[in-house]
């Protein structure tokens, strides 16, 4: 069955068409600048060139229509008709406490996702528009929602409660949720598989280091803690997000800079992290790495602060699980940036970890970095959130067919 995976942002839509049997990507693409003028769709069939067309996309429904057009196009298409698309999997950012696993979408599910809008005001409404567009254009196809937060719903209370008046949790559901759940689930599962072990018997720390970044503690197959919170702002220093800070900084800076709390939160999301810390040099680790090699002190300090924060979370989660068997790096930086992995690795001596430099020099592939026989296995596992969403979608469609 061909499964279309859709990831809607506020002004973008990413898609992949995946053959669920071979798990091959048949085509993928991106619609950009939806509703803000100058919109374009970039489409790439598996065995063809990337094609970009400037087309007007006033809303996400237009984008979905263009995606369907490209997928069935005579020249760049990969299916003859939309009938060859068996199901659609949607990445949904926030499922709150309502969703601890993926679900087949119906009106009740739509309403429940909408009720989580408050928790992700930029993302969830865009996700809902994406679903509505697909339902309008392909009314007979099953849509499945796969939540970024669902995998972390197993976190115990002690991990998800903030030290705030309890009424805020009761009234507004202010608590830690965590994100990147699809990736933490996929990578921890694959790590166990590669070691030929059952995930239920392992304590795994997954370091998802991309532009957005989070660490998770996966014990006996379940997420027991993760570094992002109510929103993706908490935890690690990221590309442009600050991660953990003293909350009093917000009012302090609002007063000094004469800005509102919302403007400050915007700065924390978009102008902080390694971009802010490097004094605006770059949010991209390739640029930062290059600058650090050229002796740029701000870039050096930024990378050190970044790796130190990751190492602190690894330490915290080792304590939380009373030990660790596997540490897995993933996402853009985790998969590709040997220097960052090495810098984090330098803090892991107390776990008896030593990494093999030749293995660490490899990029973007599944590899064990630690010495053989090492008590803790350090590895790189490329993440694949689209494939994970396609697998979930297939599982739910099959369950439904089987009347489960
Ligand atoms: P993601 O959000 O997972 O796409 O990750 C984006 C981050 O990964 C950016 O900071 C990139 O600089 C980093 N990244 C991607 N490829 C490389 C590479 N070959 N070397 C170093 N960093 C990379």
């Amino acid at each position: 069955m061909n499964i279309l995976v859709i990831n809607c942002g506020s002004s973008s839509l990413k898609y992949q068409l995946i053959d669920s049997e071979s798990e091959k990507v048949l085509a993928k693409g991106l619609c950009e600048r939806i509703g803000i003028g100058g919109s374009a769709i970039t489409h790439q069939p598996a065995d063809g060139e990337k094609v970009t067309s400037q087309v007007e996309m006033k809303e996400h429904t237009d984008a979905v229509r263009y995606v369907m057009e490209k997928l069935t196009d005579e020249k760049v298409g990969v299916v003859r008709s939309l009938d060859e698309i068996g199901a659609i999997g949607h990445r949904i950012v926030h499922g709150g406490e309502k969703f601890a696993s993926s679900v087949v979408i119906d009106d009740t599910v739509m309403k429940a996702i909408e009720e989580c809008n408050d928790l992700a005001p930029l993302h969830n409404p865009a996700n809902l528009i994406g679903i509505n567009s697909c339902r309008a254009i392909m009314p007979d196809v099953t849509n499945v929602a796969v939540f970024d937060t669902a995998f972390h719903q197993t976190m115990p209370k002690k991990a998800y409660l903030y030290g705030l008046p309890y009424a805020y949790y009761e009234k507004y559901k202010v608590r830690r949720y965590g994100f990147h759940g699809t990736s933490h689930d996929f990578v921890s599962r694959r790590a166990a598989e590669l070691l030929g072990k059952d995930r239920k018997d392992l304590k795994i720390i997954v370091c998802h280091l991309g532009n957005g970044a989070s660490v998770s503690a996966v014990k006996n197959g379940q997420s027991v803690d993760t570094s992002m919170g109510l929103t993706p702002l908490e935890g690690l220093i990221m590309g442009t997000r600050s991660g953990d800070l003293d909350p009093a900084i917000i009012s302090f800076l609002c007063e000094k800079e004469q800005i509102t709390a919302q403007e400050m939160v915007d700065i924390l999301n978009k102008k902080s992290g390694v971009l802010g810390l490097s004094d605006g040099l770059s949010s991209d680790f390739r640029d930062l790495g290059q600058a650090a090699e050229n002796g740029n002190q701000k870039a050096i300090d930024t990378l050190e602060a970044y790796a130190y924060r990751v190492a602190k979370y690894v330490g915290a989660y080792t304590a939380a699980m009373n030990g660790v068997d596997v540490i897995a790096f993933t996402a853009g930086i985790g998969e590709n940036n040997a220097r960052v992995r090495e810098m984090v690795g330098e803090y892991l001596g107390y776990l008896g970890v030593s990494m093999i430099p030749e293995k660490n020099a490899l990029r973007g592939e599944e590899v064990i970095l630690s010495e053989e026989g090492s008590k803790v296995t350090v590895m790189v596992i490329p993440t694949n959130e689209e494939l994970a969403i396609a697998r979930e979608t297939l599982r739910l469609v099959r369950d439904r067919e089987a009347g489960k």
Side-chain angles (χ1 to χ4, degrees), residues 337-349:
N337 199 315
R339 179 75 193 117
V340 165
R341 290 194 303 248
E342 184 190 329
M343 288 169 82
V344 175
E346 280 164 11
Y347 290 99
L348 305 179

Side-chain angles (χ1 to χ4, degrees), residues 209-212 283-286 331-333 336-337 363:
L209 311 179
N211 195 30
S283 65
D284 193 300
F285 275 68
R286 283 165 285 206
I333 299 152
N336 295 297
N337 199 315
R363 268 184 36 196

Side-chain angles (χ1 to χ4, degrees), residues 116-373:
C116 300
N117 279 1
D118 247 11
L119 298 170
L122 290 181
H123 294 95
N124 270 30
N127 298 155
L128 284 165
I129 295 171
I131 301 170
N132 275 328
S133 307
C134 289
R135 290 174 104 194
I137 293 171
M138 299 172 68
D140 298 326
V141 172
T142 304
N143 288 274
V144 167
V146 181
F147 298 90
D148 250 29
T149 47
F151 182 60
H152 301 303
Q153 276 296 298
T154 45
M155 274 196 284
K157 231 175 184 179
K158 63 185 175 188
Y160 72 66
L161 286 180
Y162 286 115
L164 285 170
Y166 194 71
Y168 295 145
Y169 169 56
E170 287 183 310
K171 277 201 280 190
Y172 310 120
K173 293 284 171 223
V174 170
R175 52 159 280 182
R176 309 184 60 258
Y177 291 95
F179 298 86
H180 294 137
T182 316
S183 177
H184 288 291
D185 185 17
F186 179 91
V187 170
S188 54
R189 207 180 278 271
R190 183 73 191 133
E193 221 172 76
L194 272 179
L195 294 176
K197 296 202 170 143
D198 192 327
R199 189 169 65 156
K200 288 201 174 82
D201 300 327
L202 292 170
K203 296 169 182 171
I204 305 172
I205 294 176
V206 178
C207 304
H208 177 111
L209 311 179
N211 195 30
S214 63
V215 185
S216 70
V218 182
K219 188 178 182 185
N220 307 334
Q222 294 194 323
S223 171
V224 292
D225 208 344
T226 190
S227 57
M228 283 177 167
L230 174 76
T231 77
L233 192 50
E234 191 180 338
L236 300 178
I237 297 173
M238 308 180 211
T240 62
R241 295 189 193 119
S242 63
D244 296 335
L245 45 77
D246 179 344
I249 290 172
I250 298 182
S251 62
F252 179 87
L253 285 179
C254 283
E255 208 164 294
K256 293 279 181 209
E257 296 274 310
Q258 288 297 296
I259 53 176
T260 63
Q262 191 49 55
E263 284 169 329
M264 191 61 225
V265 171
D266 240 40
I267 292 171
L268 295 178
N269 268 305
K270 296 181 187 151
K271 297 193 177 154
S272 302
V274 294
L275 173 68
L277 202 45
S278 66
D279 212 5
L281 196 66
S282 180
S283 65
D284 193 300
F285 275 68
R286 283 165 285 206
D287 301 336
L288 291 170
Q290 194 59 55
E293 256 176 48
N294 295 340
N296 182 315
Q297 195 55 45
K298 280 181 180 150
I300 295 170
D301 294 345
T302 299
L303 292 177
E304 281 181 358
Y306 180 87
Y308 180 65
R309 180 80 58 93
V310 176
K312 281 210 295 188
Y313 267 98
V314 170
Y317 290 166
T318 302
M321 295 192 288
N322 190 21
V324 59
D325 301 307
V326 180
I327 299 170
F329 289 98
T330 195
I333 299 152
E335 291 166 28
N336 295 297
N337 199 315
R339 179 75 193 117
V340 165
R341 290 194 303 248
E342 184 190 329
M343 288 169 82
V344 175
E346 280 164 11
Y347 290 99
L348 305 179
Y350 71 101
L351 291 171
V353 167
S354 83
M355 294 191 339
I356 306 166
E358 299 78 46
K359 291 280 165 71
N360 189 42
L362 298 172
R363 268 184 36 196
E365 58 183 276
E366 282 180 349
V367 56
I368 292 178
L369 308 177
S370 47
E371 306 271 0
E372 216 181 309

